[in-house]
Each structure stands twice: as C-alpha cells, then as structure tokens.
Amino acid sequence: MRIFLDTANLDEIRYGARLGVVSGITTNPSLVAKEGTSDYRTRVLEICRLIEGPISAEVVSTDVRAMLEEGRRIASWHPNVVVKIPSTEEGFEAISTLSKEGIRINQTLCFSVNQALLGAQAGSSYVSPFVGRLDDAGHDGMAVVADIVAVYQHYGITTQVLAASLRHPLHVVAAAKAGAHIATIPHKVLMAMVKHPLTDLGLAAFLKDWNAVAKAPLARVG
Ligand code: G3P
C-alpha cells in the first residue's frame, strides 16, 4: 500500500518528501483554504515540485458543464495532476467524459460500494472512500473499503482504492489489511506512524552500552 499525504501544507509535504515515504498528495478545497490561499493552481504547482507522483486537485463546480471545463483546466496544470470529482450524479457524468479524454480522475466523497462501482464504470482511476466520516455517521468505514477492494478484485477492476479521511495510525493498518492500494493521511498520522516509544528507549540503551565500551581503555593481550 502506498502512502499519500492529505494536505496542502508545503512544510508537511517537504517533511514527507525528506523521509522518502510519500508517493503522492491529495488536496481538497478545505485543505487549500486552510493554508490561507485561494490560488489553487500555484499551490498545486508548488506541490508538484516537491513530490513526483499523483497530486489530486478538486473541482469546486457542481454542474456538469462547469465541472468539465474546470476538470480540463486543472488537468492542464501539470502532467501529474489528478482531477478530484465528487460522487454525485453530475460527477459520474463528468468522470465518464473526462476519463475518455485521458484525464485521470480521483472519485472523491465516496461513501458506498455502489458509488465505487459506478465510478469504476465511469472510468475513475482512483476511488476515495471516506473512512473517518463514515465512522462519524455510525457506519463501519473500513468495511466499505474492504468491500470495494473485494468487489473490484472479483471483477478485475483496475480502479485503485484510495482510503481517505483516515484519522489515526490504526486506520492505516486497517486500510492495509483491507487491501487498499493507497492510504492518504494527514501529517499528524504520519508522525504517529514514525514514532514508537520502544524504538526511542531501545536506541538510548544501545547507545549507552556502546558509549560505555567505547570510552573504556582498550584491553591488552599478552
Ligand atoms: O481525504 C479526505 C479528507 O481530507 C477528509 O478528511 O478528516 O476531514 O474527514 P476528514
């Protein structure tokens, strides 16, 4: 399973890039707005310079004609840009037209296997089930991810399952066990994946033992 960062924050993306563990980025209008900019294109191009991989940018239009125009414009920003389109009636129509033009689509705001099936038929390259938001609504978000993976595998569907709205490190483990192709995570979840207190304690003990012997006088033979 590949790890993407779900952020439009450049420092967070630099951190993930430096570790070499992040192979793509997902953004949405809320994440870009959180950065205090409405210049989505400039921010996406800055991200493309930091990460060599799929960078998702979302349309904000809701009717088909406007989604098509916006989707084509977003796709023209950079070859690595993937256009995020919501799982609505208009969205499916836009996905089917844009995917036929060779534009890669990340079908977002997916909350059911049915929506994932429709998106795959329409030509989505990625489908993003929102695990945390399903959990928030009293559903089992990860079960939806597992069911989408199983159904896609059964029919040899090549749309990649991108587990989104992941809120904590156990979500990432569960997404991997469910067979998701990609987990997109916030920076704080990446940090929580990196850190383990036993690693820090173990390293401190190794270094203490090593420094004790390294500082001791050399034993002489004969
Ligand atoms: O990738 C989707 C994500 O940005 C939504 O996360 O935590 O707002 O449900 P959340």
Side-chain angles (χ1 to χ4, degrees):
M1 184 177 75
R2 288 189 291 157
I3 302 290
F4 287 10
L5 277 182
D6 191 38
T7 183
N9 182 283
L10 298 179
D11 287 335
E12 292 177 355
I13 293 169
R14 277 188 202 100
Y15 174 83
R18 185 158 54 80
L19 263 51
V21 297
V22 170
S23 49
I25 301 292
T26 51
T27 68
N28 62 42
S30 304
L31 290 170
V32 176
K34 196 170 135 200
E35 296 308 309
T37 177
S38 58
D39 189 348
Y40 206 158
R41 179 176 177 273
T42 299
R43 180 51 55 112
V44 164
L45 291 178
E46 286 167 326
I47 295 172
C48 288
R49 281 196 284 275
L50 297 174
I51 293 282
E52 176 65 45
I55 312 296
S56 289
E58 187 161 346
V59 298
V60 290
S61 314
T62 50
D63 69 273
V64 179
R65 190 203 293 240
M67 269 191 209
L68 291 176
E69 269 173 31
E70 198 185 352
R72 288 177 187 126
R73 196 168 59 244
I74 290 173
S76 76
W77 290 348
H78 191 281
N80 287 351
V81 169
V82 174
V83 179
K84 249 175 142 179
I85 296 191
S87 307
T88 57
E89 189 181 328
E90 296 78 6
F92 291 123
E93 191 175 333
I95 290 168
S96 93
T97 300
L98 293 174
S99 66
K100 285 188 189 82
E101 296 173 12
I103 292 173
R104 286 182 302 159
I105 306 295
N106 175 355
Q107 179 201 338
T108 190
L109 289 166
C110 175
F111 292 97
S112 72
V113 178
N114 280 324
Q115 288 179 323
L117 271 171
L118 294 177
Q121 298 309 305
S124 299
S125 298
Y126 306 89
V127 65
S128 291
F130 273 34
V131 174
R133 291 193 192 183
L134 276 163
D135 293 351
D136 291 345
H139 299 281
D140 182 349
M142 206 53 76
V144 173
V145 172
D147 284 349
I148 295 171
V149 169
V151 169
Y152 278 6
Q153 270 173 3
H154 185 76
Y155 290 104
I157 290 170
T158 56
T159 304
Q160 297 211 5
V161 180
L162 195 165
S165 182
L166 302 179
R167 308 265 177 81
H168 51 74
L170 273 181
H171 262 159
V172 183
V173 175
K177 284 169 139 179
H181 301 91
I182 300 157
T184 189
I185 56 173
H187 175 70
K188 73 171 178 9
V189 175
L190 176 61
M191 295 296 291
M193 289 171 72
V194 170
K195 277 284 180 192
H196 199 291
L198 290 178
T199 304
D200 297 340
L201 282 172
L203 182 60
F206 287 156
L207 294 179
K208 184 166 166 273
D209 293 345
W210 180 251
N211 286 334
V213 81
K215 280 185 195 134
L218 282 178
R220 291 178 184 273
V221 180

